[in-house]
Amino acid sequence: MIFANWKENGSIAMIEDWTYDFLKATDDELLNNVDVGIAPSYIHIQLFKDLLEKAKVMIGSQDVDYGINARTSKVSASMLKDFNVNFSIIGHSEVRNLFNDSNEIIRKKFKTLISNKIQPILCIGESENEFNAKQTLKVLENQLYSVLEGANIENCIIAYEPVWAIGTGKTPEVNLVNDIHEHIKDVVQSATTNNFLPNVIYGGSLNEGNASSFFGQTHIDGSLVGGASLNANSFVKIIKEYSKVK
Ligand code: PEP
């Protein structure tokens, strides 16, 4: 499974060009083989849905709010549901760091997505200091338990995104990522009441050049792609690498 996180990028013209290139470079066989999702800004969701109407591509949001009514500027899970949004990214490190999303807030967002039947992609990851201090597993366990403890879930994807790898061109060793993903799966199984086994995808400076080394690992079930997804041809090359290896 390959997901694109478009962050604060995109315009009508750029999305028209991107979807044209994307549809030219993909076909039904590839899209039936690999689960592909795109998370543009809220205001571009419907445009993507219209332009990719005939393609098997999920459209998601980059965040969600946990409240209703008097919360100016926010978008609720029921609003997303109304637009048939398939998934929603929560806990991205940029949202944690720039907009102060705590684990407690992320837990509320997680719950509202589950009750509206929208698949959460829960992002977790350690900072560079935590990585250097060998705190990675402890940080991830805390992020997972505080959101998932006691949950009974059927569909949730975990995105492991080391904060120091996002948009920096730096990536961890693929073997290490594989071991971390295996650990994440164990933690999610013990945190949830139904021993849910999640797909765990990797994000952080993944591109068409390094994708296959990640996808060759047993516990890496795909990727959340930032920068490299903004070019349709690069994004499709990543999807093709995934299809070849898995
Ligand atoms: C991200 O922000 O989710 C991400 C993976 O970014 P990039 O691929 O640009 O490192």
Side-chain angles (χ1 to χ4, degrees):
M1 44 182 58
I2 307 292
F3 292 87
N5 173 14
W6 270 37
K7 312 194 186 196
E8 202 174 10
N9 292 289
S11 64
I12 295 172
M14 186 254 192
I15 292 167
E16 283 171 353
D17 288 348
W18 191 97
T19 49
Y20 177 83
D21 291 342
F22 177 84
L23 291 172
K24 219 164 80 176
T26 45
D27 54 38
D28 288 351
E29 197 187 331
L30 184 65
L31 295 176
N32 281 328
N33 224 3
V34 182
D35 287 332
V36 174
I38 302 164
S41 78
Y42 288 125
I43 54 169
H44 293 135
I45 285 175
Q46 191 56 45
L47 179 63
F48 261 104
K49 282 201 159 283
D50 292 344
L51 290 169
L52 293 180
E53 200 190 354
K54 294 198 176 75
K56 191 182 148 283
V57 175
M58 295 175 279
I59 305 297
S61 67
Q62 298 171 20
D63 198 8
V64 65
D65 187 42
Y66 55 81
I68 42 165
N69 296 337
R71 291 174 59 80
T72 300
S73 86
K74 299 297 180 188
V75 174
S76 70
S78 61
M79 291 171 175
L80 295 176
K81 185 83 200 148
D82 209 17
F83 278 77
N84 292 317
V85 162
N86 307 106
F87 68 93
S88 182
I89 298 171
I90 51 172
H92 192 282
S93 62
E94 287 155 12
V95 184
R96 290 178 191 260
N97 296 332
L98 298 171
F99 310 116
N100 302 319
D101 260 19
S102 61
N103 284 323
E104 200 183 320
I105 290 175
I106 297 163
R107 184 179 172 92
K108 290 186 188 172
K109 292 182 172 181
F110 178 82
K111 281 187 163 176
T112 188
L113 289 174
I114 295 294
S115 53
N116 281 280
K117 297 193 172 14
I118 297 171
Q119 170 155 262
I121 297 184
L122 171 61
C123 297
I124 56 172
E126 81 287 358
S127 67
E128 187 149 36
N129 284 344
E130 290 161 342
F131 177 77
N132 290 335
K134 303 202 183 320
Q135 296 291 302
T136 301
L137 296 185
K138 206 174 127 204
V139 171
L140 301 181
E141 284 165 14
N142 180 41
Q143 290 172 335
L144 288 169
Y145 269 108
S146 50
V147 175
L148 298 177
E149 192 161 25
N152 185 325
I153 42 177
E154 274 150 35
N155 66 346
C156 167
I157 296 166
I158 308 295
Y160 169 53
E161 299 206 308
V163 180
W164 53 274
I166 295 177
T168 58
K170 293 194 266 183
T171 55
E173 292 291 327
V174 292
N175 293 334
L176 177 63
V177 175
N178 192 51
D179 291 347
I180 291 172
H181 281 209
E182 189 175 9
H183 187 69
I184 290 170
K185 290 179 186 191
D186 286 347
V187 173
V188 173
Q189 284 198 290
S190 53
T192 51
T193 53
N194 58 333
N195 300 325
F196 177 70
L197 178 62
N199 283 307
V200 181
I201 60 179
Y202 167 79
S205 297
L206 184 132
N207 56 45
E208 64 195 69
N210 61 18
S212 65
S213 64
F214 283 95
F215 299 154
Q217 301 290 318
T218 326
H219 295 289
I220 301 182
D221 303 312
S223 183
L224 179 57
V225 187
S229 70
L230 293 172
N231 178 301
N233 289 309
S234 299
F235 187 56
V236 173
K237 280 186 187 150
I238 293 169
I239 298 168
K240 286 184 175 165
E241 287 299 338
Y242 184 80
S243 167
K244 250 194 269 168
V245 178
K246 290 290 177 183

